[in-house]
Amino acid sequence: MLSNPPLPSPASEILDYLARHPEAQDTLDGILHWWVLDSCVKRWAPRIAETVAKLVEQGFLKEKRSSDGQTFYHVSPSYLFTLQQQPTQHSIPTEVE
């Protein structure tokens, strides 16, 4: 009996999209932009708010409320200063605790 070799990533994203949209068909570019990115966005969405909150707490980002109540995020001046002092070696946090 032949065994199936493991599927390379992003096979799971493509198959997940097709499970939710069985009539879908697209070009390679469309698969990238709609199928794979759609799946990645759904997978990462729950962690984004938590990560952004921690980046604000740790001083990497600042938040600003708009007149309509939405919160916008931008790089903090202190972190930007750090980035500008080391243009070839950015101090990007690899793990937000």
Side-chain angles (χ1 to χ4, degrees):
M1 179 178 212
L2 293 174
S3 65
N4 291 332
L7 294 171
S9 184
S12 62
E13 285 85 356
I14 293 169
L15 296 175
D16 175 61
Y17 185 89
L18 288 172
R20 290 181 287 117
H21 306 279
E23 301 299 318
Q25 60 179 337
D26 217 327
T27 63
L28 285 176
D29 193 51
I31 290 170
L32 169 66
H33 287 96
W34 296 107
W35 302 10
V36 175
L37 290 179
D38 176 76
S39 182
C40 290
V41 167
K42 286 185 182 348
R43 186 170 14 115
W44 279 98
R47 293 190 60 196
I48 297 301
E50 176 186 336
T51 300
V52 169
K54 288 181 180 181
L55 289 170
V56 169
E57 180 183 308
Q58 294 178 4
F60 294 102
L61 297 178
K62 290 284 188 184
E63 52 188 5
K64 180 180 176 183
R65 287 227 181 241
S66 67
S67 59
D68 66 0
Q70 292 190 72
T71 303
F72 288 82
Y73 300 91
H74 58 94
V75 66
S76 71
S78 60
Y79 183 58
L80 182 59
F81 179 77
T82 300
L83 291 174
Q84 292 170 339
Q85 297 305 306
Q86 303 168 356
T88 59
Q89 188 177 20
H90 296 297
S91 178
I92 298 172
T94 55
E95 186 68 33
V96 178
E97 298 176 6

